[in-house]
Amino acid sequence: QSLLTQPPSVSAAPGQKVTIACSGSSSNIGNNYVSWYQQLPGTAPKLLIYDNDKRPSGIPDRFSGSKSGTSATLGITGLLTGDEADYYCGTWDRSLSAVVFGGGTKLTVL
Amino acid sequence: EVQLLESGGGLVQPGGSLRLSCAASGFTLTSDAMSWVRQAPGKGLEWVSAISGGGATTYYAESVKGRFSISRDNSKNTLYLQMNSLRGEDTAVYFCAKDPRGGLEFFDKWGRGTLVTVSS
């Protein structure tokens, strides 16, 4: 069971907006930066968001991140069928002295 | 272009050993910390181990501590993961990932992964 809790699945129609929550605690999200990764079927994870809300070059501004207290949120607007993937949050946990990931959220674009 | 290419995976019996490699190109391995992250079939991501840019500091998940060892050969620009006393629960795709700030805060490049299957 992951220390970071994500919903197993979310869905929305093309063109719509979706948010994916990631809930943690003071030992992880509450005191560290959060990152988000997209994993398309059969491929390696890809960095979408780092430092809670920053996008690497090449990531469209349809993807956004935010953090409040011990929770973080990934937002995706203007959904495309190509956005169908698994999404993971990640951060450092000071109690475990380890990187922790959420269990992942499967996005379906209906 | 930054690229990471893992190799060394395969089928191994419980209790056996395997060494994974991650060849880096497009950047110098010593400039960044590196990690190994694994993904069991149909499961989520699990961080396994990390090594600092200089190679002096290493970190391990509790699940592999004492069994796995991370290292790097800067002359070959290659990262390694020595895995001993393998168990069925170690079956996974193993990815190497680049940590640009060295703080284990995020990974900006990932390899395609190599599959390790532990089974008799």
Side-chain angles (χ1 to χ4, degrees):
Chain A
Q1 193 167 353
S2 304
L3 287 182
L4 304 182
T5 301
Q6 296 181 235
S9 63
V10 295
S11 63
Q16 295 301 304
K17 173 183 177 178
V18 71
T19 59
I20 298 173
C22 175
S23 178
S25 68
S26 58
S27 70
N28 42 65
I29 292 178
N31 285 283
N32 295 286
Y33 287 121
V34 176
S35 56
W36 288 90
Y37 304 88
Q38 176 194 61
Q39 187 175 33
L40 297 169
T43 70
K46 175 183 177 181
L47 179 66
L48 285 180
I49 298 289
Y50 67 99
D51 289 358
N52 304 330
D53 57 9
K54 296 181 176 58
R55 283 177 287 106
S57 61
I59 301 300
D61 59 7
R62 299 188 300 108
F63 295 91
S64 64
S66 64
K67 186 183 106 169
S68 177
T70 59
S71 294
T73 302
L74 173 70
I76 311 173
T77 60
L79 279 170
L80 305 172
T81 55
D83 293 332
E84 286 201 337
D86 293 323
Y87 292 84
Y88 295 91
C89 56
T91 188
W92 176 258
D93 187 284
R94 61 179 55 182
S95 296
L96 292 179
S97 292
V99 176
V100 290
F101 292 101
T105 299
K106 182 176 181 61
L107 169 63
T108 301
V109 181
L110 303 167
Chain B
E1 180 191 2
V2 171
Q3 287 192 333
L4 298 169
L5 184 61
E6 303 91 339
S7 61
L11 175 63
V12 61
Q13 292 189 338
S17 297
L18 212 55
R19 189 178 82 157
L20 305 183
S21 300
C22 170
S25 59
F27 74 105
T28 303
L29 212 55
T30 53
S31 64
D32 292 312
M34 298 290 295
S35 274
W36 288 96
V37 178
R38 69 185 180 183
Q39 185 170 36
K43 302 296 184 182
L45 303 175
E46 179 189 14
W47 174 79
V48 172
S49 180
I51 187 167
S52 62
T57 307
T58 57
Y59 304 86
Y60 298 94
E62 279 299 320
S63 57
V64 306
K65 202 171 288 185
R67 300 188 300 123
F68 289 13
S69 176
I70 190 171
S71 62
R72 63 203 301 164
D73 184 333
N74 295 331
S75 67
K76 295 182 179 179
N77 221 32
T78 299
L79 174 73
Y80 301 102
L81 185 68
Q82 178 67 42
M83 304 186 297
N84 300 327
S85 302
L86 282 163
R87 307 166 180 168
E89 54 263 38
D90 296 319
T91 295
V93 174
Y94 285 72
F95 300 99
C96 61
K98 178 173 160 295
D99 175 359
R101 285 211 301 244
L104 292 170
E105 294 165 318
F106 65 94
F107 306 112
D108 65 344
K109 293 292 182 184
W110 299 62
R112 290 184 173 184
T114 186
L115 176 62
V116 172
T117 303
V118 183
S119 175
S120 55

